[in-house]
């Protein structure tokens, strides 16, 4: 079967993928992220998960004048291990240095031999702790209390992967070779960007219309992707009717909107391997 590692650089506020990379299944996510760094700009803020805590990556961000907020794990930093237990101050500025085995590689890459970073502890709604590593050192300009809401924006990346893998069924590849998988991946990313662009007007209208509702509304992606599927060929090939098609699409996007529940939390249901296999064999639906 075909396997690979996909990495996206996602603009979480505008819901646009600004760069995507596809590597081998055994590729290192940091290697792909380094390739995507030129797609960002100086002083951009990068929100990253626990897979991006390597000294090489943090140093590369600093070298290219990028800001970062990375989730730390107990296995990545000793200080993070202590802070996850609730020990020490909730904001601490420290110096990081590469391990002995990595120092030569860091020197050869021309990266800084030490980094000044800040560890921030965030208390989650369930009472658990989360530790973030950042080079936003100014505690007055960037107070500790703001990091929880800031890092929550990274959930948009997980939502994107959910849409790509479930709604758009990316893993239902048209073939089993790299030549067939690669266009499937990038075509799917293109469709997600197209959906974000085409639904912008409808999204703005729904936000204004339902801003005072208990649960504001947003475009239903089941509706939007289905509409785009039916109109995309006409949109790109019938130039004379493009304005009319866009109006029709906007009207469709406004139908059956979804409610937004920001504080909603649904506990994960742990299923056995047999239940998961049964889902993929008999219950999972392909296509959209």
């Amino acid at each position: 079967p075909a396997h690979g590692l996909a990495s996206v650089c996602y603009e979480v506020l505008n819901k646009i993928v600004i760069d995507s990379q596809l590597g081998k299944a055994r590729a290192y996510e940091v290697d792909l992220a380094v390739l995507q760094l030129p797609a960002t700009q100086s002083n951009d803020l990068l929100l990253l998960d626990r897979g991006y805590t390597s000294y090489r990556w943090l140093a590369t961000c600093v070298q290219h004048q990028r800001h970062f907020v990375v989730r730390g794990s107990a296995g990545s930093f000793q200080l993070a291990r202590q802070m996850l237990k609730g020990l020490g101050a909730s904001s601490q500025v420290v110096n990081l240095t590469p391990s002995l085995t990595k120092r030569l590689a860091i020197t050869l890459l021309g990266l800084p031999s030490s980094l000044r970073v800040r560890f921030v502890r965030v208390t989650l709604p369930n009472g658990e702790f989360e530790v973030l590593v950042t080079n936003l050192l100014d505690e007055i300009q960037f107070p500790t209390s703001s990091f929880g809401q800031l890092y929550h924006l990274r959930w948009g990346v997980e939502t994107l992967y959910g849409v790509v893998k479930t709604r758009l069924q990316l893993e239902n590849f048209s073939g089993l070779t790299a030549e067939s998988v690669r266009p499937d991946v990038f075509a799917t990313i293109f469709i997600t960007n197209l959906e974000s662009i085409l639904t912008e007007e409808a999204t703005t209208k729904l936000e204004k219309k339902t801003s005072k509702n208990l649960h504001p509304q947003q475009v239903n992606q089941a509706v939007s992707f289905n509409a785009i599927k039916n109109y995309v060929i006409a949109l790109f090939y019938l130039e004379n009717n493009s304005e009319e098609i866009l109006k029709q699409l906007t009207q469709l996007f406004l139908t059956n909107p979804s409610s937004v529940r920001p504080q909603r939390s649904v506990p994960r249901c742990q299923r056995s391997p047999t239940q998961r296999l049964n889902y993929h064999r008999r219950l999972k639906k392909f296509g959209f």
Side-chain angles (χ1 to χ4, degrees):
H3 291 83
L5 179 66
S7 176
V8 299
C9 184
Y10 186 61
E11 212 284 84
V12 295
L13 297 180
N14 293 306
K15 300 181 180 180
I16 294 290
V17 176
I18 61 176
D19 187 80
S20 56
Q21 296 286 334
L22 182 63
K24 296 181 179 179
R26 296 183 179 180
Y28 181 30
E29 54 260 68
V30 168
D31 291 335
L32 298 182
V34 170
L35 294 176
Q36 295 177 296
L37 203 57
T40 64
Q41 299 179 2
S42 177
N43 293 322
D44 276 356
L45 175 61
L46 308 179
L47 304 176
L48 303 115
D49 203 358
R50 288 175 290 188
Y52 299 87
T53 54
S54 74
Y55 183 91
R56 172 199 166 196
W57 169 247
L58 301 184
T60 301
C61 288
V62 171
Q63 185 184 59
H64 289 81
Q65 298 180 328
R66 304 301 195 267
H67 298 300
F68 58 80
V69 175
V70 184
R71 184 179 175 186
S73 65
S76 56
F77 302 104
Q78 182 177 358
L79 180 56
R81 187 180 308 119
Q82 297 173 356
M83 294 180 71
L84 284 170
K85 296 178 181 178
L87 303 176
S90 58
S91 178
Q92 302 182 47
V93 177
V94 300
N95 288 322
L96 288 183
T97 57
S99 63
L100 291 176
T101 57
K102 301 293 183 181
R103 286 180 183 176
L104 178 59
I106 295 299
T107 301
L108 293 175
L109 289 171
L111 297 174
S113 58
S114 66
L115 300 175
R116 192 160 179 79
V117 299
R118 177 182 172 194
F119 284 73
V120 177
R121 181 171 58 232
V122 174
T123 304
L124 301 177
N126 60 4
E128 296 181 358
F129 296 125
E130 192 171 72
V131 174
L132 306 175
V133 185
T134 181
N135 57 346
L136 301 175
L137 305 181
D138 192 330
E139 298 191 20
I140 297 177
Q141 187 177 2
F142 308 105
T144 300
S145 58
S146 66
F147 278 87
Q149 185 177 0
L150 171 63
Y151 188 71
H152 182 71
L153 292 174
R154 203 205 66 83
W155 184 250
V157 180
E158 301 297 336
T159 302
L160 170 71
Y161 283 134
V163 169
V164 167
K165 296 177 71 174
T166 56
R167 175 71 62 192
L168 300 181
Q169 296 297 329
L170 172 62
E171 294 172 313
N172 185 22
F173 298 125
S174 59
L176 298 180
T177 64
E179 289 76 12
S180 60
V181 170
R182 188 175 297 276
D184 283 353
V185 172
F186 293 119
T188 303
I189 295 297
F190 173 78
I191 288 295
T192 63
N193 279 351
L194 182 63
E195 193 266 350
S196 294
I197 294 170
L198 294 180
T199 59
E200 182 178 7
E201 182 179 350
T203 298
T204 301
K205 288 182 177 180
L206 286 172
E207 288 177 351
K208 291 181 179 179
K209 181 181 177 181
T210 65
S211 61
K212 296 182 180 180
N213 290 14
L214 177 61
H215 298 300
Q217 295 179 332
Q218 63 184 8
V219 173
N220 187 333
Q221 289 187 317
V223 172
S224 61
F225 280 114
N226 185 67
I228 291 172
K229 176 185 68 174
N230 293 324
Y231 281 83
V232 68
I233 295 178
L235 180 63
F236 283 107
Y237 286 95
L238 301 179
E239 296 182 5
N240 295 333
N241 296 325
S242 59
E243 291 296 328
E244 183 61 30
I245 292 172
L246 288 174
K247 290 180 181 179
Q248 294 178 24
L249 282 171
T250 299
Q251 289 303 313
L252 287 172
F253 296 153
L254 292 171
T255 61
N256 297 319
S258 302
S259 297
V260 180
R261 299 177 175 86
Q263 304 302 322
R264 185 182 183 190
S265 179
V266 180
R268 292 186 178 183
C269 180
Q270 298 295 330
R271 294 184 174 87
S272 68
T274 301
Q275 289 174 319
R276 292 197 297 269
L277 179 61
N278 180 67
Y279 168 75
H280 286 283
R281 279 185 172 180
R282 300 178 178 87
L283 300 177
K284 188 176 182 180
K285 295 181 179 179
F286 292 95
F288 64 94

